[in-house]
Amino acid sequence: MRRETILNVGIPGLLLAIGLLAYALDETYIITLATRAAILALAGVGLNIALGLGGLVSLGHAAFFGIGGYAMGILAFHAQTYMPLWGVIGGTTSMPIIWLVAVIASGLAALVIGALSLRTSGVYFIMITLAFGQMLFYFAISWPAYGGEDGVSIYMRNNFPGLNTLVPLNFFLICFAVLAVVLIFAGRLGKSPFGLALQATRQNVARVEAVGLAPYKLRLMAFVLSGAITGLAGALFADLNRFVSPSMLSWQMSGEIMVLVILGGIARLSGPVAGAMVFIALEYVLEDLSHYWHIYLGAILLLVVLFARGGLVGLIAGREVAHD
Amino acid sequence: MTDAILSTRSLSKSFGALQASDSVSLDLRAGEIHALIGPNGAGKSTLIAQISGALRPDSGSVIFDGQDVTPLPTVARARLGLGRTFQISALAMEFTVLQNAVLGALGQRGRAFRVLGKVMRDKALLESAESALQEVGLSEFRNTVTAELSHGQRRQLEVAVALTLKPKVFLMDEPMAGLGAEGSQRLTGFLDGLRHRAPILLVEHDMDAVFALADRISVLVYGRIIATGTADEIRANAEVRQAYLGEEDAA
């Protein structure tokens, strides 16, 4: 087996092991941290489709993360207040339905944002995605129906058929299972016809056009898939915190997702998982040392960008072998 | 010309005061190699860009396979069967040689939006890609990362990718550039046979190759075609000698 294949199984495996070990040792807080890592990893896997495979540097992925979060917040809010949305839709506390709504809503948002942003490239693309993200952020702040700046609190975690989601381990396992399924999908995506064409657009647009494939459509589809997955992560994140607020839509959130992808390895399947685990671990360890733990995170990020371009996964697995 | 597969009609394009294409009309017939020559700055690249769809002409039209393709973008023209190679190799450098060829085969087949199924295990795509690599003599480098190929090998891969497109017309922008004598000769031999699969519009600086290959030659000077004819006719044309060949002799 290739090193990368081992890592693709091993890194998520390690996350699962940490969660289970924490359960065995009755360390509830660690389970919560592992859950957070799984969810942020999922958001990163989403971003990595646009960023890694497509070379699309989106600084607006918090928009999709937040839309997923608000999809959960709004549906659960209407369920807990027994006030139907627009007088007809009753809200729900069922996770699968919430996920579906989150995926569709964030996917549609990605379709609109992508359709406009992808007409530009380079630094303009970065700026436009950032601008869309900020637009949604300020919209959420000034939208009084769902708490405005204060956000929405949900009293009970939403339900999953057959599982008590209030048990931390159960919710961790749900999040991990979603991550695993999406990882398998993303892995297959990279090796699919679409994956090949998308990766070609990252390397040479003229070549893709010359073989008769439309780069814009390929990128748009990548952007929609990417946004939808990040939106799904957002719904889980809101469920973990039982709270959604405009901070999920902030550009710092976009940055955080991007940082963990870079940390773990851009375009590497398990990169975001490794990145999220290290990110959460650093946050946990360094926050004790200093309130300004981001300084250390910044230094580490600098080292990774300067000396390990493939991120942590690249450091261990070496250059990606492409002939597969 | 009714049997022309590709023709341009009075194409004109200017950049500010520079007239890069001045009412250029030429046609490419079935089974022929039509070479386009001209000194540097004559507007060859501009003309190729208008034919391939990268540039919109100011006036005039491009007719391909009986259809006016002037308003169509590059992608649509490629899908109609215009297979081009680039003057400066345009390949996916991180891909292996085989992946680049498979990309071509995928473009030819379409259905590139399938997210499941392994593209590098797709028998039909692999077959098309492998046979194209075989034809240009790159089979043994199939697993080499493209960035590690020599300049000449990249030129070969350009041609291989064009082959996977199974185009109706080849549009080749200086395929011999930087190939060296031996590589140039090999490619000349290869293109000689290729014209029977699809006609070739060949932009080339290598005069030995042009005169050995071309059924017809058009000479472009300052955006205008000053002569079109067989190799012998072009050699004998006084205006061409003065404007182009003469300069080269003097150089």
Side-chain angles (χ1 to χ4, degrees):
Chain A
M1 244 198 310
R2 285 166 34 217
R3 268 188 183 179
E4 178 126 18
T5 316
I6 297 171
L7 284 181
N8 286 343
V9 177
I11 293 174
L14 180 64
L15 178 59
L16 180 63
I18 290 172
L20 293 176
L21 192 67
Y23 173 71
L25 298 175
D26 209 18
E27 291 276 1
T28 308
Y29 184 58
I30 304 285
I31 299 179
T32 305
L33 287 181
T35 311
R36 235 174 99 82
I39 294 169
L40 287 180
L42 181 63
V45 172
L47 176 64
N48 214 9
I49 290 175
L51 180 66
L53 296 181
L56 303 169
V57 185
S58 162
L59 208 49
H61 259 53
F64 313 123
F65 196 64
I67 285 171
Y70 270 95
M72 173 276 177
I74 291 170
L75 287 172
F77 173 78
H78 286 282
Q80 79 183 7
T81 55
Y82 300 104
M83 284 192 317
L85 181 57
W86 301 312
V88 277
I89 306 168
T92 179
T93 58
S94 159
M95 282 189 192
I97 297 174
I98 288 170
W99 297 347
L100 188 68
V101 172
V103 163
I104 292 171
S106 49
L108 281 176
L111 182 67
V112 173
I113 293 175
L116 296 166
S117 313
L118 288 168
R119 298 190 179 278
T120 66
S121 60
V123 74
Y124 298 100
F125 179 78
I126 301 176
M127 285 300 127
I128 289 196
T129 52
L130 176 64
F132 273 113
Q134 289 300 91
M135 226 169 76
L136 284 168
F137 172 72
Y138 285 109
F139 175 74
I141 279 187
S142 53
W143 193 22
Y146 302 102
E149 209 166 347
D150 301 327
V152 186
S153 285
I154 303 301
Y155 309 134
M156 292 278 282
R157 184 163 288 151
N158 294 300
N159 306 313
F160 190 85
L163 280 176
N164 178 0
T165 56
L166 286 173
V167 177
L169 182 71
N170 285 353
F171 188 61
F172 168 72
L173 290 175
I174 289 170
C175 292
F176 183 81
V178 172
L179 173 65
V181 168
V182 171
L183 274 174
I184 290 167
F185 170 75
R188 295 197 63 169
L189 184 79
K191 290 175 176 157
S192 70
F194 173 71
L196 185 82
L198 178 63
Q199 291 178 73
T201 64
R202 185 189 70 220
Q203 299 170 57
N204 200 316
V205 178
R207 167 50 58 203
V208 176
E209 288 180 338
V211 302
L213 300 173
Y216 177 78
K217 290 185 196 165
L218 292 163
R219 287 172 169 159
L220 185 56
M221 169 137 153
F223 202 71
V224 170
L225 288 173
S226 172
I229 292 172
T230 302
L232 178 60
L236 290 171
F237 192 74
D239 229 332
L240 172 69
N241 301 327
R242 278 174 261 173
F243 174 65
V244 53
S245 77
S247 70
M248 274 184 78
L249 291 156
S250 68
W251 65 268
Q252 288 93 335
M253 192 71 234
S254 295
E256 209 163 285
I257 300 170
M258 188 174 290
V259 161
L260 64 89
V261 171
I262 294 171
L263 206 57
I266 292 174
R268 314 304 283 259
L269 184 59
S270 54
V273 187
M277 285 165 68
V278 170
F279 190 89
I280 298 291
L282 285 175
E283 191 177 39
Y284 176 65
V285 173
L286 296 178
E287 216 167 21
D288 277 352
L289 294 178
S290 157
H291 186 60
Y292 301 102
W293 70 276
H294 281 100
I295 293 177
Y296 302 105
L297 177 70
I300 291 169
L301 192 66
L302 208 61
L303 289 175
V304 166
V305 171
L306 286 176
F307 301 111
R309 295 296 285 275
L312 297 168
V313 172
L315 208 58
I316 303 170
R319 246 189 88 178
E320 193 169 18
V321 213
H323 55 87
D324 187 14
Chain B
M1 207 41 77
T2 49
D3 61 346
I5 295 184
L6 174 73
S7 48
T8 68
R9 296 202 185 135
S10 315
L11 276 188
S12 292
K13 177 82 189 172
S14 54
F15 301 101
L18 178 73
Q19 185 80 35
S21 301
D22 187 356
S23 196
V24 176
S25 296
L26 60 79
D27 57 66
L28 180 67
R29 303 168 190 160
E32 77 166 347
I33 293 180
H34 189 154
L36 185 66
I37 62 173
N40 285 324
K44 299 188 296 290
S45 296
T46 305
L47 184 59
I48 288 289
Q50 290 169 87
I51 295 173
S52 69
L55 268 182
R56 204 54 63 82
D58 296 335
S59 64
S61 54
V62 180
I63 312 292
F64 177 50
D65 204 18
Q67 186 185 348
D68 185 352
V69 297
T70 321
L72 298 183
T74 310
V75 174
R77 295 187 201 193
R79 291 216 65 81
L80 286 174
L82 200 62
R84 74 167 296 189
T85 68
F86 292 86
Q87 183 182 0
I88 297 161
S89 298
L91 298 160
M93 288 297 170
E94 296 165 30
F95 279 178
T96 60
V97 167
L98 184 61
Q99 280 177 313
N100 266 297
V102 166
L103 178 68
L106 178 65
Q108 197 273 330
R109 186 180 72 182
R111 306 207 300 272
F113 286 87
R114 290 171 43 182
V115 296
L116 299 176
K118 291 188 173 173
V119 70
M120 298 310 284
R121 297 270 188 282
D122 189 311
K123 281 211 180 82
L125 295 181
L126 283 178
E127 217 164 86
S128 164
E130 302 257 19
S131 91
L133 292 179
Q134 173 108 46
E135 280 192 87
V136 301
L138 276 181
S139 284
E140 55 181 310
F141 297 99
R142 59 202 291 285
N143 290 332
T144 306
V145 174
T146 305
E148 287 160 14
L149 290 183
S150 72
H151 177 80
Q153 290 169 328
R154 290 181 197 180
R155 306 304 301 163
Q156 286 171 280
L157 183 52
E158 278 276 329
V159 175
V161 176
L163 291 177
T164 63
L165 299 175
K166 300 186 171 62
K168 294 194 182 95
V169 156
F170 287 102
L171 195 57
M172 297 195 174
D173 198 354
E174 298 194 27
M176 317 273 179
L179 267 193
E182 195 198 339
S184 201
Q185 250 169 25
R186 270 194 53 197
L187 188 56
T188 303
F190 179 70
L191 296 186
D192 197 18
L194 189 62
R195 78 179 95 192
H196 302 298
R197 229 183 291 173
I200 305 170
L201 183 62
L202 178 69
V203 176
E204 190 48 68
H205 268 301
D206 182 336
M207 285 304 137
D208 292 338
V210 166
F211 283 106
L213 279 173
D215 298 289
R216 291 189 300 151
I217 300 169
S218 288
V219 185
L220 195 67
V221 178
Y222 296 123
R224 273 181 52 241
I225 290 188
I226 59 167
T228 296
T230 62
D232 288 338
E233 286 165 3
I234 293 298
R235 271 201 202 92
N237 186 306
E239 203 182 345
V240 173
R241 294 178 74 93
Q242 196 229 331
Y244 185 67
L245 298 176
E247 284 175 22
E248 204 161 69
D249 285 345

